[in-house]
């Protein structure tokens, strides 16, 4: 019987700390449900003390998730722990994750604390967290650059105080695999009460070693890995969930543990996170990149045709690349539509929402005969952003584009019951349309990113556009999908403008003060 390797996903917390990757409450719930369908053990939903928006997002995820444990991050401060405890009240199973820095440079320069004081804060935080839940995780931040003797001291003390998981973060991505694995083995061997807690790792990818370091830790006794979908996260990101999980599954001859994940859900999660955050997946990315299972060279193709195992170490279907993802079409009825949406994790909150989304589906099916899961996901994004914060709506768009002429676009939008029409010229149809919208809204925001991605194959595919806008330090992403990419671009721009105009509730936490 192999050990269980706990998969702790922090896409909604550390992943969200990537500049420009902030997610709304409803987007977090959608991703949370996709992670739950994949049978992720622990979902870190956010940092409740960071802002009211973060608090509400963690609360919403805690209420929506039934199978996975929902976790909230807290500095080693009473007020943070209380906020996390409060936000997690509705969860079936909750965890509080508290942390304080332990490296000499962090203790001296950032915390301005003596090591003894740091231990006191840690012990007090763990005891306070235990008043809310018996599932408490402690992280010595910057453990990768902390002294081993001090780590042994603080970890022994927090286990005595009631910590059940000890997470060893390589916060700045400084470790290398052999050395990091040895540290984990040493901690487990040297800490007298280490058998009372599970050892976990949380590796950043600054040197491109996050997955290698995590796996080396697993080989040396770690039984939880913290990771994110597509490796999203601060700076160069975190260990990528799909790579860790598939490495452990593919190399069962090497690992004496296994995860309980349904790996067939990996691709759906990857696409969902990429579409919500606007962070594309590079084509040669392991497991989820478009080329991950594509064989170009003749020798490889010949081998694969004779026997897939000649060049393939995993089956594409095992991570969700299935040949037939066509699910619905123009003749599909309301029930078939509703049940596929439920399978994709979307519950309709009212008959009205179902009717409205079904109407949009029918309109799409008239333009595009085969409707894939990706199209349905885009429909969910579109209709949920209407209800959440879209107070600007695209009513009509007309564009005139001709060789040798400057394209001109005329756009009508509705802002809080008022219809406005504006026109502009631009270097292309998209440029002209976005300028026409800007002439009406006058946001003066800076366009930081514009990207178009085809949702499925074929020239009738929907183009999904992501637009990133920045204004006085606030960054938002907008998405829009349509079979016409000019319309998709206008929708994405309007979606981003709506977010920019809604109150900013999600300030990114400053973890520095403790
Ligand atoms: O990287 C890090 O140290 C963290 C901690 C909060 C675990 O994200
Ligand atoms: Zn981190």
């Amino acid at each position: 019987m192999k050990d269980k390797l706990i998969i702790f996903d922090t896409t909604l917390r550390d992943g969200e700390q990537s500049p420009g990757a902030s997610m709304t409450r409803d987007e977090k719930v959608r991703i949370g449900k996709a992670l739950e369908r994949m049978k992720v053990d622990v979902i870190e939903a956010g940092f409740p003390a960071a802002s009211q928006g973060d608090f509400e997002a963690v609360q919403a995820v805690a209420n929506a998730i039934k199978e996975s444990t929902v976790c909230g991050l807290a500095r080693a401060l009473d007020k943070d722990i209380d906020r996390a405890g409060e936000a997690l009240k509705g969860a079936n199973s909750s965890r509080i994750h508290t942390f304080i820095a332990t490296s000499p440079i962090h203790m001296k320069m950032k915390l301005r604390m003596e090591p003894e004081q740091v231990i006191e804060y840690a012990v007090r935080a763990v005891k306070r967290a235990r008043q809310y839940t018996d599932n408490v995780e402690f992280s010595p931040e910057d453990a990768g650059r902390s002294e081993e003797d001090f780590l042994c001291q603080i970890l022994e003390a927090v286990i005595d105080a009631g910590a059940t998981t000890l997470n060893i973060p390589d916060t700045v991505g400084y470790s290398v695999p052999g050395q990091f694995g040895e540290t984990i083995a040493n901690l487990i061997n040297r800490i007298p009460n280490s058998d009372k807690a599970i050892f976990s790792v949380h590796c950043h990818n600054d040197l491109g070693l996050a997955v290698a370091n995590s796996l080396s830790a697993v080989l040396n006794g770690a039984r939880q890995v913290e990771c994110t979908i597509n490796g999203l996260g601060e700076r160069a990101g975190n260990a990528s969930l799909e790579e860790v999980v598939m490495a452990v599954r593919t190399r069962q001859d090497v690992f004496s543990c296994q995860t309980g994940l349904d790996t067939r859900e990996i691709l759906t999660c990857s696409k969902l996170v990429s579409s919500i955050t606007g962070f594309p997946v590079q084509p040669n990315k392991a497991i989820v990149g478009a080329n991950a299972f594509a064989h170009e060279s003749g020798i490889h193709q010949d081998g694969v045709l004779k026997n897939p195992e000649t060049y393939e170490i995993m089956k594409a279907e095992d991570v969700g690349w299935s040949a037939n993802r066509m699910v619905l079409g123009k003749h599909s009825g309301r029930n078939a539509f509703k049940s596929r949406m439920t399978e994709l994790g979307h519950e309709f909150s009212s008959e009205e929402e179902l009717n409205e989304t079904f109407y949009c589906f029918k309109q799409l099916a008239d333009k595009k005969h085969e409707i894939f899961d990706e199209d349905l996901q885009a429909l969910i994004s579109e209709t949920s952003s209407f209800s959440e914060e879209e107070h600007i709506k695209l009513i009509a768009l007309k564009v005139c584009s001709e060789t040798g002429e400057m394209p001109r676009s005329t756009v009508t939008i509705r802002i809080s019951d008022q219809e406005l029409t504006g026109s502009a010229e631009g270097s292309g149809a998209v440029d002209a349309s976005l300028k026409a919208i800007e002439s009406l809204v006058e946001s003066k925001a800076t366009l930081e990113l514009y990207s178009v991605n085809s949702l499925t194959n074929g020239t009738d595919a929907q183009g999904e556009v992501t637009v990133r806008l920045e204004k006085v330090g606030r960054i938002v992403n907008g998405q829009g999908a349509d079979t016409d990419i000019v319309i998709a671009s206008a929708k994405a721009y309007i979606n981003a403008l709506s977010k920019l105009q809604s109150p900013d509730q999600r300030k990114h936490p400053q973890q520095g003060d403790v």
Side-chain angles (χ1 to χ4, degrees), residues 10 13-14 17 44 73 97-99 137 139-143 167-172 202-204 226 234-235 238 511:
T10 183
R13 199 278 296 169
D14 214 320
Q17 286 173 214
E44 188 166 50
L73 183 70
H97 174 192
T98 186
F99 70 99
E137 173 170 325
S139 291
E141 192 194 4
D142 203 17
N167 178 47
I168 312 302
D170 182 21
T171 304
V172 293
H202 173 113
C203 297
H204 279 271
E226 301 199 356
E234 283 256 22
R235 308 179 309 279
N238 290 63
Q511 296 174 10

Side-chain angles (χ1 to χ4, degrees), residues 208-267:
L209 294 171
V211 170
N213 285 332
S214 305
L215 295 176
S216 172
V218 172
L219 290 171
N220 284 282
R223 285 296 173 264
Q224 173 177 289
V225 173
E226 301 199 356
C227 44
T228 56
I229 300 290
N230 301 337
L232 201 67
E234 283 256 22
R235 308 179 309 279
N238 290 63
S240 126
L241 176 145
E242 56 278 9
E243 292 176 23
V244 169
V245 168
M246 290 313 289
V248 171
R249 178 182 155 136
T250 306
R251 295 308 306 269
Q252 277 293 293
D253 54 330
V254 172
F255 291 98
S256 55
C257 54
Q258 54 195 12
T259 77
L261 258 62
D262 181 352
T263 59
R264 291 166 307 175
E265 296 291 332
I266 283 178
L267 191 65

Side-chain angles (χ1 to χ4, degrees), residues 337-355:
F337 170 74
K338 188 178 170 196
S339 87
R340 188 62 197 155
M341 290 293 249
T342 311
E343 278 164 25
L344 289 175
H346 185 72
E347 311 291 348
F348 291 99
S349 56
S350 61
E351 275 299 291
E352 199 190 342
E353 193 209 342
L354 169 60
N355 292 340

Side-chain angles (χ1 to χ4, degrees), residues 10-74:
T10 183
T11 308
L12 303 181
R13 199 278 296 169
D14 214 320
E16 204 201 16
Q17 286 173 214
S18 306
S22 73
M23 304 162 207
T24 65
R25 186 196 56 209
D26 289 1
E27 287 168 346
K28 280 197 172 190
V29 170
R30 282 179 64 201
I31 294 176
K33 285 188 174 169
L35 294 171
E36 183 182 38
R37 270 198 311 283
M38 189 161 63
K39 299 194 170 46
V40 158
D41 302 287
V42 187
I43 299 172
E44 188 166 50
F47 190 170
S51 67
Q52 181 61 20
D54 243 8
F55 177 88
E56 285 169 15
V58 174
Q59 196 172 42
V61 174
N63 291 337
I65 299 300
K66 302 291 169 234
E67 305 295 330
S68 313
T69 295
V70 180
C71 176
L73 183 70

